[in-house]
Amino acid sequence: MAVETPQHSGLQGTLDYLSERPLPPGTLVRVPLGRREVPGIVWPGDPSSEPSLALKPIAQVMESLPPLSTRWCELVGFAAAYYQRSVGEMALAVLPPELRKLDDAQLANRIARLRKATAAEPLPAATPAPTPPELNAEQAAVLQQLEALHTPGSAPVVLLHGLTGSGKTEVYLRAAERALAAGQQVLVLVPEINLTPQLEARFAERFGSGPSPRRIVSLHSGLTPAQRLKHWLAAHLGLADLVLGTRLAVFAPLPRLGLIVVDEEHDPSYKQQEGARYSARDLAVYRGKLEGACVVLGSATPSIESWQRAEQGRYVRLTMGQRIGGGALPAVRLVDMNLLPKIKGISTALSPQLVAALGARLERGEQSMLFLNRRGYAPVLHCGECGWKSGCPNCSAFRVFHRVDRTLRCHHCSLTQPVPRACPDCGNLDIAPMGRGTERLEEQLAQALPGARIARIDADSTRLKGSLEAQLSAVHDGNVDVLVGTQMVAKGHDFRRITLVAAVDPDSALFSSDFRAPERVFSLLMQAAGRAGRDAAQSGASEMWVQTWHPRHALYQALRTHDYAAFAAQQLKEREMAGLPPYTHLALLRAEARTAQAARDFLQAAADLAGQFEGADQLLIYPPVPTSIARVANVERMQMLMEGPSRGVLQRVLTSWVASLPSLRSEHKGVLRWALDVDPLAI
């Protein structure tokens, strides 16, 4: 029985319970655990208890819900083993929270209401299906190759490398159409919630009408618990034909799964950062093999790992190198900020060249977009007299100045306070912002371009429900001249009127200690550039401007030619020389404690313990170090990196080691929590 047990209990496997009759694997039940009654899942395998032991009986069998499939159990079991979590924790964590609260009678009522609502839905058969756009030669060739690859019994993994605006979404739609026509279900994953509605609209427009309308559901954390359960049940019962969702949707039970699409497969959002730290992209590939389903990984800038697997022939790479309608990619212009006149006390957020280019677009009635991946007005307030800065008392980070409500806000612990009237240390009245965020950029644009209609899209401006959709609609309808935003607007959106995109300050990631930083910034800039010139008629005049202090950097030179292949080859060469993924494999143990010394002692003891297991001599275990932000909410954070030559070697050590960590933690009372991250993305 898979039951969610506390991590500190050390119970990693399944538990045994007494049943009056045989139950098929995947059956949902309720069982006693200590003084509580908790949900559980009948798990494949033989009982592990001694026959003489007195077992507790199962409290209730959820008869109304068909058992979860054996393949679903295999997927969850693999994820639990690979990411070093208990099978019960993984299995129960990916079920809808509402499902875990219901008894059988309540669940039966929900299912009956869902079936009744589905049967009562009016089928818009009288509405003619929309005419799909004509495919270009590249799209037709890719679809033909996809069809040839996906033969009965095969489970191909296809890396669809298509430029921004090359028509990858239409390929997804046509591939889904073929799968649906064969009676199969389709799973489409997107990296972020804000991309789900527009993709769902595209699929609903194509498949929601005509003589055979399809039922489409979404699965993401933005749904209410009741909505999430309803959509999950529709998928599990086979009532939904298409499931669109974020990373948690990779675990959606789909009895007829035939196609999995992972859009923007490179995006780090596919990696869970709390609890079981799984990669939805990698699990999608594994699930495709289990289900015999075709997996399409789509991106204009594939992850370095996926690119290498395609180079090795493990994935089939299909390329779409032309934009729809023959449109040109935006010309990349690098603005050397070193050449601007340096005036003391005046920061150069917008170069004169960029302001002039924005003005020209404004006169022609075209839209522009400025990208700055830092929200707020300024990252920090400071005093020029004594050097005071608006640090957070709870975190080793600065509080960000938000001018809209004149607050200093910590983006890590959420501490929010009014801006002081004077310097708290010396009383100086002249405290000033340092650096810039999207709020300040919006203000400077309003001063530089009087009369321009400027909109800002970031996590602060889209807090209210429906605000993101309203602002995106304003951009699409032409009611915005200049759009300012963070990475929320840099990827996935089809803005037809934008002809100029500018990255205001992208240099910060160039010299990061994280070896994946160049990959992330290149991908983000390529995605941002792809928002310009998506209308073929205007693509010839589209431009991507990059304001940089390092115009000769190799990353920007590759960006100028839109040459992802050259960038990826260089990155792979550097990583091979340095012994970094994908040529080695990593695991990261993090510890949080009231003092840094307590966290360090626990990690050092864990390192000493790991050295006792077979195969540890093949691993490189680094000393414990503070995380990039060492203190959050008065909790000290440390991390320890483990590096292995292969997944097999690393996993063998981890499996034995992790089982011993709960008892080790009990010896270190100052440690609040610990977590293991296999294949970490952020170091």
Side-chain angles (χ1 to χ4, degrees), residues 42 50 154 177 206 355 463 602:
V42 178
E50 294 291 332
S154 67
E177 185 178 10
R206 181 67 57 87
V355 173
R463 288 183 187 277
F602 170 75

Side-chain angles (χ1 to χ4, degrees), residues 550-569:
H550 307 279
R552 298 183 185 277
H553 196 282
L555 184 148
Y556 292 137
Q557 297 308 312
L559 183 68
R560 291 187 71 171
T561 56
H562 300 276
D563 193 348
Y564 175 80
F567 172 77

Side-chain angles (χ1 to χ4, degrees), residues 15 68 82 117 120 177 245 349 380 401 404 441 530 542 558 569 590 609 622 634:
L15 303 178
L68 295 156
Y82 185 79
E177 185 178 10
V380 61
F401 173 38
V404 173
L441 183 58
S542 63
R590 295 186 177 94
L609 180 64
Y622 292 85
N634 288 317

Side-chain angles (χ1 to χ4, degrees), residues 345-381:
I346 298 179
S347 62
T348 52
L350 298 170
S351 62
Q353 303 97 306
L354 178 56
V355 173
L358 291 169
R361 293 299 197 281
L362 193 60
E363 290 179 4
R364 296 202 298 264
E366 299 170 4
Q367 291 178 322
S368 303
M369 184 179 91
L370 271 68
F371 165 67
L372 177 62
N373 206 22
R374 189 184 303 120
R375 60 190 174 99
Y377 186 85
V380 61
L381 281 183

Side-chain angles (χ1 to χ4, degrees), residues 133-368:
E134 187 176 345
L135 298 175
N136 63 22
E138 282 190 334
Q139 289 173 314
V142 164
L143 285 165
Q144 188 176 8
Q145 289 172 286
L146 278 175
E147 189 172 17
L149 287 167
H150 195 198
T151 56
S154 67
V157 181
V158 175
L159 179 61
L160 181 58
H161 178 217
L163 296 177
T164 53
S166 61
K168 294 189 294 295
T169 303
E170 184 60 32
V171 171
Y172 303 156
L173 289 164
R174 297 293 181 102
E177 185 178 10
R178 290 176 180 175
L180 293 171
Q184 298 172 330
Q185 291 172 297
V186 177
L187 173 62
V188 181
L189 300 179
V190 293
E192 296 180 8
I193 293 176
N194 68 72
L195 298 178
T196 307
Q198 64 176 23
L199 194 61
E200 188 174 4
R202 289 285 299 274
F203 275 83
E205 180 186 14
R206 181 67 57 87
F207 301 115
S209 58
S212 301
R214 304 292 184 173
R215 290 184 174 87
I216 305 170
V217 299
S218 59
L219 280 173
H220 53 76
S221 59
L223 300 173
T224 65
Q227 288 173 325
R228 184 173 165 186
L229 175 60
K230 178 183 176 182
H231 293 182
W232 186 91
L233 288 173
H236 178 51
L237 299 173
L239 302 176
D241 300 299
L242 289 114
V243 175
L244 287 84
T246 51
R247 58 178 176 261
L248 63 84
V250 75
F251 291 104
L254 296 159
R256 309 187 313 275
L257 183 60
L259 173 67
I260 303 175
V261 174
V262 184
D263 192 26
E264 310 292 0
E265 67 88 26
H266 65 277
D267 200 291
S269 299
Y270 283 121
K271 186 72 157 69
Q272 175 78 4
Q273 297 300 327
E274 298 291 337
R277 290 160 169 80
Y278 62 86
S279 166
R281 179 199 63 205
D282 295 346
L283 289 180
V285 172
Y286 185 81
R287 185 172 189 181
K289 296 186 183 301
L290 285 177
E291 305 271 6
C294 178
V295 180
V296 178
L297 308 176
S299 178
T301 54
S303 66
I304 296 297
E305 289 82 1
S306 295
W307 188 264
Q308 188 216 29
R309 287 168 189 155
E311 293 281 286
Q312 294 173 336
R314 296 165 63 188
Y315 295 172
V316 178
R317 184 168 63 222
L318 303 179
T319 303
M320 296 167 60
Q322 298 293 325
R323 281 185 144 185
I324 293 295
L329 287 167
V332 177
R333 298 191 57 175
L334 301 178
V335 180
D336 188 349
M337 301 297 282
N338 297 289
L339 302 179
L340 298 184
K342 296 177 175 60
I343 305 173
K344 187 175 181 180
I346 298 179
S347 62
T348 52
L350 298 170
S351 62
Q353 303 97 306
L354 178 56
V355 173
L358 291 169
R361 293 299 197 281
L362 193 60
E363 290 179 4
R364 296 202 298 264
E366 299 170 4
Q367 291 178 322
S368 303

Side-chain angles (χ1 to χ4, degrees), residues 646-668:
S646 69
R647 280 196 173 91
V649 170
L650 183 61
Q651 284 289 325
R652 279 193 293 274
V653 176
L654 291 180
T655 300
S656 304
W657 182 55
V658 169
S660 306
L661 289 179
S663 59
L664 183 67
R665 180 189 177 276
S666 65
E667 300 172 10
H668 293 76

Side-chain angles (χ1 to χ4, degrees), residues 28-104:
L28 198 67
V29 296
R30 296 194 69 81
V31 295
L33 183 67
R35 298 180 180 179
R36 299 177 298 144
E37 186 178 286
V38 298
I41 301 172
V42 178
W43 210 251
D46 297 323
S48 56
S49 301
E50 294 291 332
S52 58
L53 291 178
L55 300 178
K56 292 183 178 181
I58 291 174
Q60 187 179 43
V61 178
M62 311 295 270
E63 305 275 7
S64 56
L65 188 73
L68 295 156
S69 71
T70 303
R71 293 187 300 276
W72 186 89
C73 293
E74 288 180 28
L75 173 68
V76 171
F78 169 80
Y82 185 79
Y83 295 105
Q84 301 298 326
R85 313 297 292 198
S86 73
V87 68
E89 177 193 8
M90 179 67 75
L92 275 299
V94 300
L95 295 181
E98 191 86 349
L99 179 63
R100 289 177 270 172
K101 301 176 183 178
L102 304 179
D103 59 26
D104 189 45

